[in-house]
Amino acid sequence: MFNTIGVTMQRRPRGFTLVEQLAAITIAGTASVAALPALVEFQAQAEQATLASLAAAAGSAMVLNQAGCLVTQQRPVPGKCEAVDDCRQVQGLLLVDLPAGYHVVAQPLAADGLARGGDTCRLLRERDGASAGFYGVAAGH
């Protein structure tokens, strides 16, 4: 290529040089390594929040069932009052099944309506043994 004076001009190649590409990859790698612990922590927090939410839903189901049984004078009525005398029976009160890998630990409920042994039922995550408590309430008797 010639300019108006007749001197040859070299066209600069387009794109990035190898050094520029390596620098960009190094920066991206360093940033991802720095962010990895935060992402792992988010995973742990999400798992703990899931366990706590499921336990809260189980406790709410127990209390709502007890309220329905108070209305029916403790007579079991489908959809209003289900007979409950063990913590594991909360699974029948929930609208959906517990997710795979979670289960409620068997615990008899006292006639006064509270769980024996600390007044709580336990929801267990099988993968790591983590658990969360919720109040179990006997009803429908």
Side-chain angles (χ1 to χ4, degrees):
M1 230 188 204
F2 293 99
N3 64 11
T4 55
I5 305 175
V7 178
T8 305
M9 293 179 49
Q10 301 241 341
R11 196 174 262 232
R12 184 175 173 174
R14 292 194 170 126
F16 297 102
T17 66
L18 180 60
V19 173
E20 292 169 332
Q21 291 175 7
L22 289 175
I25 290 170
T26 302
I27 291 169
T30 304
S32 65
V33 167
L36 189 61
L39 294 176
V40 170
E41 182 63 27
F42 285 145
Q43 177 71 24
Q45 289 175 353
E47 289 176 354
Q48 186 59 32
T50 299
L51 182 63
S53 296
L54 290 171
S60 295
M62 285 280 202
V63 171
L64 287 171
N65 185 61
Q66 181 194 35
C69 290
L70 290 173
V71 170
T72 65
Q73 298 175 342
Q74 298 298 326
R75 288 188 316 245
V77 175
K80 289 188 180 178
C81 174
E82 301 290 332
V84 174
D85 59 7
D86 190 281
C87 293
R88 291 188 64 171
Q89 291 171 310
V90 73
Q91 295 178 41
L93 303 176
L94 296 170
L95 295 176
V96 296
D97 292 334
L98 289 172
Y102 292 88
H103 76 271
V104 177
V105 177
Q107 173 82 24
L109 297 170
D112 63 1
L114 297 175
R116 293 186 189 107
D119 296 337
T120 59
C121 297
R122 304 294 307 161
L123 177 68
L124 181 72
R125 184 172 52 223
E126 297 163 359
R127 181 178 50 80
D128 60 1
S131 67
F134 63 93
Y135 285 99
V137 183
H141 301 286

